[in-house]
Amino acid sequence: MTGVIVLFLRILLAAVLYAFLAWAFYSIWRDLRQQGALLDKRKIPSLHLTWQTNGQKYSRLLNLPDLIIGRDPACECPLLDETVSARHARLSYHHNQWWLEDLNSTNGTFLNQERLDIPAVVISGDEIRCGQVNLSTSIDEKH
């Protein structure tokens, strides 16, 4: 009789343990979904770039979290100038700020007349120079 009771208690304990693990995994999964939904709702502020090459003025409004500036037509912001590398610089949005990074370009990337060696924060009104092309920035702060 005691053997049956011990077996019953072991099965009951195993069932309680599995129920606890199922509840814990469900809670973690639910929290991850909520965090993902919050991150999806965060809007990236629009970045407006304007520049002039060959006497013609260009303007781009960008909403992507990561974009490449360069001479390559596949870049999100293509600059048709021989002094610009194919993949010249990267603008990325993280930590609630826009960051500019040089991608080992030949002629360098400059932010407000200073050469970039490490990624730097970009704000509205900053001047970016890629090769001989000057770009001015404007950021839509409403997000």
Side-chain angles (χ1 to χ4, degrees):
M1 182 75 168
T2 57
V4 172
I5 294 173
V6 171
L7 177 63
F8 176 72
L9 289 175
R10 289 173 84 183
I11 291 172
L12 183 62
L13 182 62
V16 169
L17 177 64
Y18 282 120
F20 172 75
L21 288 175
W23 173 79
F25 284 127
Y26 174 73
S27 295
I28 291 171
W29 175 76
R30 187 183 63 217
D31 287 345
L32 285 174
R33 283 188 48 149
Q34 287 175 348
Q35 289 295 323
L38 285 174
L39 289 175
D40 284 343
K41 288 181 183 177
R42 272 195 339 193
K43 186 179 177 206
I44 297 170
S46 299
L47 178 66
H48 189 241
L49 296 176
T50 55
W51 69 95
Q52 193 168 0
T53 52
N54 301 328
Q56 196 168 11
K57 191 171 184 175
Y58 296 94
S59 180
R60 262 332 248 256
L61 183 64
L62 304 157
N63 295 5
L64 302 170
D66 191 43
L67 55 104
I68 303 295
I69 300 172
R71 194 177 62 237
D72 186 359
C75 291
E76 288 79 13
C77 186
L79 303 177
L80 305 175
D81 189 277
E82 292 179 5
T83 61
V84 177
S85 298
R87 292 176 48 89
H88 198 97
R90 171 183 291 126
L91 278 163
S92 57
Y93 185 78
H94 55 87
H95 299 101
N96 293 326
Q97 294 176 322
W98 280 101
W99 293 77
L100 177 65
E101 172 185 7
D102 183 52
L103 298 177
N104 297 323
S105 59
T106 304
N107 294 322
T109 302
F110 295 80
L111 179 62
N112 298 325
Q113 306 304 323
E114 292 190 28
R115 189 180 184 102
L116 275 184
D117 296 323
I118 59 172
V121 174
V122 176
I123 60 172
S124 275
D126 278 349
E127 295 289 326
I128 300 170
R129 190 173 86 220
C130 297
Q132 297 299 318
V133 179
N134 291 319
L135 299 101
S136 60
T137 63
S138 175
I139 299 172
D140 177 18
E141 298 295 336
K142 300 172 192 169
H143 67 287

